[in-house]
């Protein structure tokens, strides 16, 4: 029986170092996939001996991936453990590896921004700036050194944590535990994506609908205030507005207001489903992005958006 292939600390350090450049080839089609695949290369070369196996492993890591660049480290650790078990003959398929990656990247992405961009960096920046204002060069140096020490320590230790946790996950492959984890991760990923549709997708229609004539009792009759005391008139006007009367005899609705009164966020949701359907039909994401740009520009000039 052949010896079990094991990733050494040196191999994992090489992956961690490369992961600092995960944003280096960010693209609109698959986002961080190039940087992710670049990070995995040292491990894949160690685990797979033939060019064909290495190419197949690299190809499965060129799928879509996107998260906060620092919290990608624990996902890398889990993926390293899964690839290690697969290289040693465990029944870990492409779907399991990709499912764990997709399921983890969504929830973890929401952690990175508040922790690093909105907490750690502003605190260190304020500390460095206060020293720099006194004319000390220690200020910018302190910010640079502390930021990179914290960043690198977090990336390395969370990658190691993910690697050890991933090894435990793969111990119970025969019991179907990994399949349960994969299924749960996929469901969680879809849930997170669904909650972000309302936040990320916006289609503000500017198109005005035909005015609707209101009932006589539904709007303010301004002529009734002619000749009355200004104070009493204003008091009555505010009272009628507060009771819900319209200030004009006609109600003007925009298409956006009409849609929001029915189901808020309906059009963005339908657009998301349409784009997902196009992707399922193997339409290029770049082509979809260009088409959305064209429709948006033409709609703006036509007064629709």
């Amino acid at each position: 029986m052949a010896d079990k292939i094991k990733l050494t600390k040196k191999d994992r350090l090489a992956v961690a170092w490369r992961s600092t450049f995960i944003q280096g080839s960010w693209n609109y089609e698959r986002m961080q996939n190039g940087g992710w695949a670049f990070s995995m290369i040292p491990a894949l070369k160690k685990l797979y001996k033939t060019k064909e196996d290495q190419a197949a492993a690299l190809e499965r890591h060129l799928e879509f991936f996107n998260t906060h660049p620092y919290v990608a480290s624990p996902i890398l650790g889990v993926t390293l453990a899964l690839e290690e078990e697969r290289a040693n003959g465990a029944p870990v398929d492409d779907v399991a590896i990709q499912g764990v990656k997709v399921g983890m990247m969504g929830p973890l992405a929401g952690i990175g921004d508040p922790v690093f961009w909105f907490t750690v960096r502003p605190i260190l920046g304020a500390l460095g700036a206060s020293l720099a204002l006194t004319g000390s060069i220690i200020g910018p140096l302190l910010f640079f050194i502390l930021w990179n020490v914290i960043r690198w320590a977090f990336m390395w230790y969370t990658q190691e944590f993910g690697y050890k946790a991933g090894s435990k996950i793969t111990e119970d492959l025969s019991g179907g535990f990994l399949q349960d984890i994969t299924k749960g991760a996929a469901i969680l990923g879809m849930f997170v994506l669904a909650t972000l549709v309302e936040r990320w997708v916006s289609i503000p229609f500017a198109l005005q609908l035909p005015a609707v004539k209101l009932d006589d009792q539904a709007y303010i009759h301004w002529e009734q205030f002619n000749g009355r005391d200004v104070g009493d008139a204003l008091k009555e006007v505010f009272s009628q507005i507060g009771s819900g009367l319209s200030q004009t005899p006609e109600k003007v609705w925009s298409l956006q207001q009409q849609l929001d009164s029915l189901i808020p966020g309906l059009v963005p949701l339908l657009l998301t489903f349409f784009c997902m359907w196009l992707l399922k039909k193997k339409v290029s994401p770049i082509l979809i992005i260009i088409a959305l740009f064209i429709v948006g520009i033409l709609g703006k000039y036509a007064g629709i958006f």
Side-chain angles (χ1 to χ4, degrees):
M1 182 177 180
D3 293 336
K4 185 176 181 179
I5 306 173
K6 188 74 175 176
L7 292 174
T8 64
K9 185 176 181 179
K10 181 180 179 181
D11 298 325
R12 302 195 301 273
L13 272 171
V15 172
W17 168 248
R18 283 175 171 240
S19 70
T20 61
F21 308 102
I22 197 170
Q23 298 270 76
S25 62
W26 195 96
N27 60 89
Y28 280 106
E29 184 172 358
R30 299 188 181 183
M31 298 192 175
Q32 294 173 339
N33 71 318
W36 175 277
F38 175 75
S39 303
M40 291 291 298
I41 286 176
L44 298 180
K45 285 185 175 180
K46 175 70 174 290
L47 295 173
Y48 303 102
K49 303 305 181 184
T50 67
K51 291 293 184 181
E52 292 77 12
D53 289 342
Q54 291 175 2
L58 194 60
E59 184 177 358
R60 66 173 162 265
H61 288 295
L62 284 171
E63 294 295 326
F64 174 87
F65 184 82
N66 191 56
T67 190
H68 188 282
Y70 301 161
V71 300
S73 297
I75 309 175
L76 271 170
V78 173
T79 306
L80 288 175
L82 295 176
E83 286 287 0
E84 185 179 84
E85 293 297 327
R86 175 173 177 148
N88 286 292
V92 181
D93 58 12
D94 293 358
V95 175
I97 294 175
Q98 187 65 12
V100 170
K101 285 168 54 180
V102 172
M104 293 179 68
M105 72 183 186
L108 288 179
I111 299 174
D113 284 345
V115 171
F116 287 99
W117 299 156
F118 305 146
T119 303
V120 178
R121 189 165 65 173
I123 291 174
L124 296 179
L127 177 62
S130 64
L131 293 174
L133 287 173
T134 65
S136 175
I137 195 174
I138 296 178
L141 290 177
L142 187 68
F143 171 78
F144 178 80
I145 293 171
L146 288 179
W147 171 256
N148 282 285
V149 167
I150 294 172
R151 175 185 65 86
W152 175 252
F154 176 85
M155 293 174 67
W156 168 245
Y157 285 110
T158 55
Q159 179 181 298
E160 286 293 279
F161 175 80
Y163 176 72
K164 293 173 183 177
S167 298
K168 293 177 182 178
I169 289 173
T170 56
E171 287 175 0
D172 190 26
L173 289 174
S174 59
F177 182 61
L178 180 60
Q179 287 75 13
D180 294 338
I181 291 292
T182 303
K183 183 179 179 180
I187 294 173
L188 181 60
M190 289 187 290
F191 175 77
V192 172
L193 178 62
T195 59
L196 292 176
V197 169
E198 176 65 21
R199 178 181 175 185
W200 287 355
V201 184
S202 176
I203 308 177
F205 287 99
L207 193 64
Q208 297 293 322
L209 298 177
V212 178
K213 179 68 176 178
L214 298 177
D215 186 82
D216 284 346
Q217 305 301 319
Y219 64 91
I220 300 174
H221 294 267
W222 296 99
E223 64 276 5
Q224 65 180 304
F225 302 109
N226 292 336
R228 293 179 58 177
D229 179 72
V230 174
D232 292 339
L234 287 175
K235 183 178 180 180
E236 181 67 21
V237 166
F238 287 133
S239 175
Q240 292 188 22
I241 291 176
S243 64
L245 295 184
S246 174
Q247 300 179 45
T248 60
E250 293 181 337
K251 182 67 174 179
V252 179
W253 282 79
S254 67
L255 179 58
Q256 186 65 51
Q257 291 173 320
Q258 189 69 39
L259 291 172
D260 289 342
S261 67
L262 297 174
I263 304 178
L266 175 62
V267 178
L269 181 63
L270 293 177
L271 177 63
T272 303
F273 285 150
F274 179 64
C275 291
M276 293 172 62
W277 178 77
L278 291 177
L279 291 171
K280 189 176 181 180
K281 293 295 183 180
K282 307 300 182 183
V283 178
S284 169
I286 298 298
L287 184 61
I288 296 174
I289 292 170
I290 293 174
L292 290 175
F293 269 113
I294 294 174
V295 171
I297 293 171
L298 294 178
K300 179 66 176 179
Y301 277 103
I304 299 175
F305 303 121

